[in-house]
């Protein structure tokens, strides 16, 4: 939601009386110290020209074939609300390393630049700019930490979730991971990313409120344990929530299923329990035996919901085995992206004062200048991407689009649109790239001839000045 002044609120951890998260803008002190020391140095040297920074990841994790771009809504919100408040400035003053002139500059600083990004939910590959910031160098430098933090977290999570949802083959996937997430902000942002990737919803109530995500949840084992009798617990809960899901594995899974069947006979036409949940043991075998018990009792409409240590690999195994499971609750391994928890993501200067800048560090080559990514599609399937200069006109769809102009949002990041976009993107992936296992060959990404010539020209100039 946009405030009346055109700024976007950012959810931040705080001591708000309304709960652990509020719409107060996050302090720009959420940055690394060297961003501030560089900013002061830029000011001292009167370096105020426009810079172009690009955010990309360098290498694909060994067990990933693609990455889902996410987190841009928070980027826009942070930049639109960028402001050093008196308390921020007083803290910096207390450190005795920043001049009053610099602190006065920070007091007046607002983000005035442009931001381009690939659409949220788009599929991206190594070295492709996902995000560009074009702004006076101090502004662009100071925001590096937050931008990387949010785009990295949410892209990692959305990528993991896309794989989980994809192998579920149309069966519902629900986020159960908040309690094992790496902090409250991560839990909320990951819940959003998982929904973006096609999940049915989340168990996190605050995420449901903030992002409009459907909520799921019924009972834990503690509810059953608190009763002297499991059957009585089922009956009491079903009386309060007739269309609930009953957790049957607290003591003995199949005995629990039989008690649900007994309850259906007792309630007769008033019985409307929707599913039973399996949360331990051999889920595939138990699902088969549970389905037979339910079907033999005439309860074909009662589904089976499975949880417990699931990830995309275990879900694939269960689906391929024919286990009659209708929905999956996925927690820890999804919310922390256990098999690929990080991307080699960086935010790098590629242009300053109209001149391309490069980096020749070992294994970290950086092509100079502002860029565009051109996606080429053949017969409805992604064929290749070409990274070119921003001013080039190459075959294919240009992916980077404006999000902000002169510090103001010019496009809306809509979760439902991002969700639909990702599903369309997955349909266009070559099957080996879409799969869980490493593709025989990576998706092809090339650099344009002009961009390669720019790189070589600067290399030659550097050699000449050596």
């Amino acid at each position: 939601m946009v405030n009346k002044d055109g700024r976007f609120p950012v959810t931040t951890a705080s001591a708000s009386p309304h709960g652990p998260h509020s719409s107060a803008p996050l302090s720009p002190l959420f940055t690394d110290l060297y961003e501030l020391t560089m900013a002061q140095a830029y000011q001292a040297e009167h370096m105020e020209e426009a810079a172009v920074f690009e955010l990309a990841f360098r290498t694909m994790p060994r067990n990933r074939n693609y990455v889902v771009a996410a987190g841009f809504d928070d980027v826009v919100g942070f930049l639109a609300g960028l402001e050093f408040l008196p308390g921020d400035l007083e803290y910096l003053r207390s450190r005795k390393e920043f001049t009053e002139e610099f602190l006065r500059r920070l007091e007046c600083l607002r983000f005035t630049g442009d931001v381009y990004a690939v659409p949220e939910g788009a599929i991206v590959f190594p070295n492709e700019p996902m995000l560009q910031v074009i702004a006076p160098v101090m502004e662009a430098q100071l925001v590096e930490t937050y931008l990387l933090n949010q785009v990295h977290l949410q892209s990692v999570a959305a990528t993991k979730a896309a794989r989980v949802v994809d192998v579920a083959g149309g069966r519902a996937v629900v986020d159960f991971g908040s309690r094992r997430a790496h902090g409250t902000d991560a839990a909320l942002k990951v819940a959003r990313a998982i929904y973006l990737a096609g999940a049915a919803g989340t168990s996190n109530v605050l995420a449901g409120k903030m992002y409009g995500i459907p909520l799921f949840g019924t009972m834990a084992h503690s509810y059953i344990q608190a009763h002297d009798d499991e059957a009585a617990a089922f009956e009491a809960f079903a009386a309060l929530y007739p269309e609930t899901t009953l957790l049957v594995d607290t003591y003995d899974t199949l005995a629990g299923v039989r008690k649900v069947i007994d309850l259906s006979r007792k309630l007769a036409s008033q019985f409307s329990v929707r599913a039973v949940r399996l949360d331990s043991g051999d889920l595939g075998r138990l699902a088969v035996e549970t389905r037979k018990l339910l079907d033999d009792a005439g309860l074909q409409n009662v589904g089976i919901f499975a949880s417990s240590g699931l990830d995309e690999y275990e879900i694939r195994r269960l689906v391929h085995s024919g286990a009659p499971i209708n929905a999956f609750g996925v927690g820890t391994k999804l919310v922390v992206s256990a098999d690929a928890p990080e991307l080699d993501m960086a935010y790098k200067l590629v242009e300053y004062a109209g001149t391309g800048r490069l980096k020749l560090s070992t294994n970290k080559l950086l092509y100079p200048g502002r860029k565009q990514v051109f996606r080429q599609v053949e017969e409805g399937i992604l064929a290749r991407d070409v990274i070119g200069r921003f001013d080039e006109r190459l075959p294919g769809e240009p992916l980077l689009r404006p999000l902000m102009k002169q510090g103001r949002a010019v496009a809306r990041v809509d979760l439902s649109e991002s969700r639909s976009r990702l599903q369309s993107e997955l349909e266009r992936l070559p099957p080996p790239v879409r799969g869980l296992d490493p593709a025989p060959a990576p998706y092809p990404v090339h650099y344009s001839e002009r961009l390669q010539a720019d790189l070589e020209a600067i290399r030659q100039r550097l050699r000449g000045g050596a």
Side-chain angles (χ1 to χ4, degrees):
M1 178 180 293
V2 187
N3 294 335
K4 62 183 180 180
D5 63 354
R7 296 188 183 279
F8 285 67
V10 179
T11 57
T12 65
S14 73
S16 166
H18 303 294
H21 291 261
S22 75
S23 60
L26 183 66
S27 168
L29 293 186
F30 188 90
T31 192
D32 292 295
L33 178 60
Y34 74 178
E35 313 288 11
L36 287 159
T37 57
M38 284 189 288
Q40 182 166 243
Y42 290 141
Q43 183 184 45
E45 298 173 62
H46 305 289
M47 295 178 67
E48 300 176 350
E49 297 293 330
V52 179
F53 281 78
E54 292 181 339
L55 186 152
F57 65 97
R58 299 185 182 99
T59 57
M60 188 72 73
R62 63 177 180 81
N63 47 5
R64 295 288 185 271
N65 297 320
Y66 63 85
V67 165
V68 178
F72 302 134
D73 190 42
D74 288 299
V75 167
V76 173
F78 179 75
L79 294 177
L82 188 70
E83 180 179 5
F84 286 85
L85 298 178
D88 301 326
L89 298 169
E90 192 56 39
Y91 172 73
L92 294 178
R93 183 175 289 110
S94 73
R95 292 188 53 81
K96 310 295 186 186
E97 60 185 310
F98 300 110
T99 67
E100 285 300 317
E101 181 183 7
F102 177 61
L103 294 175
R104 286 195 296 272
R105 175 69 182 90
L106 292 184
E107 184 177 16
C108 299
L109 186 139
R110 304 292 185 273
F111 183 74
T112 63
D114 299 344
V115 177
Y116 280 66
V118 303
E120 185 177 59
I123 300 293
V124 290
F125 301 96
N127 299 309
E128 297 182 343
M130 301 166 62
L131 181 77
Q132 287 176 337
V133 176
I134 308 97
V137 65
M138 183 188 295
E139 297 175 24
Q141 187 77 68
L142 285 171
V143 300
E144 173 181 6
T145 306
Y146 182 85
L147 270 54
L148 275 170
N149 176 275
Q150 291 299 312
V151 176
H152 178 269
L153 169 70
Q154 296 182 52
S155 297
V156 166
T159 304
K160 177 73 170 179
R163 290 159 55 87
V164 170
V165 172
D166 207 24
V167 298
R171 298 163 184 83
V173 171
V174 178
D175 160 41
F176 276 6
S178 292
R179 62 190 60 192
R180 303 260 177 84
H182 294 161
T184 55
D185 184 66
L188 293 167
K189 302 302 174 57
V190 169
R192 181 186 183 278
I194 293 171
Y195 185 68
L196 185 161
T202 180
S203 64
N204 189 299
V205 178
L206 184 54
K209 175 186 176 185
M210 289 171 57
Y211 303 121
I213 301 172
L215 293 177
F216 289 80
T218 55
M219 61 166 62
H221 297 102
S222 54
Y223 179 82
I224 304 295
Q225 294 170 279
H227 289 74
D228 294 332
D229 179 74
E230 185 177 37
F234 288 162
E235 184 172 358
F237 204 80
L240 191 58
Y241 307 103
E243 297 183 349
T244 191
T245 295
L246 295 174
L247 180 61
V248 295
D249 76 322
T250 303
Y251 306 116
D252 179 291
T253 299
L254 297 180
V257 173
R258 292 186 180 96
K259 290 173 183 175
V260 173
I261 293 170
D262 290 342
L263 179 62
S264 74
R265 290 167 177 158
K266 181 176 182 179
L267 297 180
S269 63
Q270 300 302 309
F271 180 83
S272 52
V273 169
R274 288 189 174 182
V276 295
R277 178 179 161 208
L278 314 179
D279 191 48
S280 59
D282 183 339
L283 296 177
R285 177 184 63 81
L286 288 170
V288 169
E289 295 182 23
T290 295
R291 185 74 272 156
K292 184 175 188 310
L293 288 172
L294 293 172
D295 288 351
D296 288 349
L299 298 178
Q300 290 85 356
N301 291 332
V302 175
I304 299 175
F305 190 106
S307 54
S308 182
L310 296 176
D311 61 10
E312 64 265 49
Y313 304 104
E314 179 61 12
I315 291 174
R316 177 173 66 177
R317 186 190 70 78
L318 289 167
V319 169
H320 287 181
S321 74
I325 296 171
N326 304 101
F328 299 98
V330 189
T332 305
K333 293 180 181 179
L334 172 54
V335 79
V336 302
S337 190
D339 64 326
E342 57 86 21
L343 291 167
D344 184 18
M345 188 175 284
Y347 175 86
K348 293 299 181 183
L349 177 75
V350 296
E351 183 177 308
Y352 177 69
T355 301
R357 313 290 167 152
L358 52 66
K359 182 178 177 181
L360 299 176
S361 305
T362 303
N363 298 324
K364 294 183 178 181
L365 176 65
L366 183 69
Y367 278 74
R370 186 180 175 189
K371 302 171 193 71
Q372 179 60 275
V373 181
F374 299 90
R375 175 152 293 167
Q376 299 175 8
V377 180
E378 295 176 357
E379 297 181 353
I381 301 296
L382 272 57
R384 70 193 64 81
D385 290 355
V386 178
I387 304 173
R389 290 171 47 154
F390 192 80
D391 59 0
E392 286 192 85
R393 296 295 179 265
L394 299 174
E397 175 192 4
L399 296 187
L400 289 159
R401 304 171 187 177
L403 273 181
M404 300 182 77
K405 289 283 191 179
Q406 298 180 351
R408 296 281 178 172
V410 295
R412 182 167 175 257
V413 181
D414 182 88
L415 179 56
S416 62
E417 292 178 5
S418 300
R419 181 177 161 95
S420 298
R421 180 180 297 110
L422 174 55
Q423 296 312 306
S424 298
E425 290 273 283
L426 290 171
E427 293 295 331
R428 299 198 302 169
L429 279 179
V433 177
R434 184 173 179 174
L436 293 189
D437 300 319
Y443 178 82
V445 178
H446 307 294
Y447 291 97
S448 73
E449 292 182 1
R450 288 183 64 189
L451 195 55
Q452 293 183 64
D454 288 346
L455 174 67
E456 189 57 32
I458 297 178
R459 273 179 161 164
Q460 293 290 343
R461 189 174 75 239
L462 292 173
R463 291 192 192 106

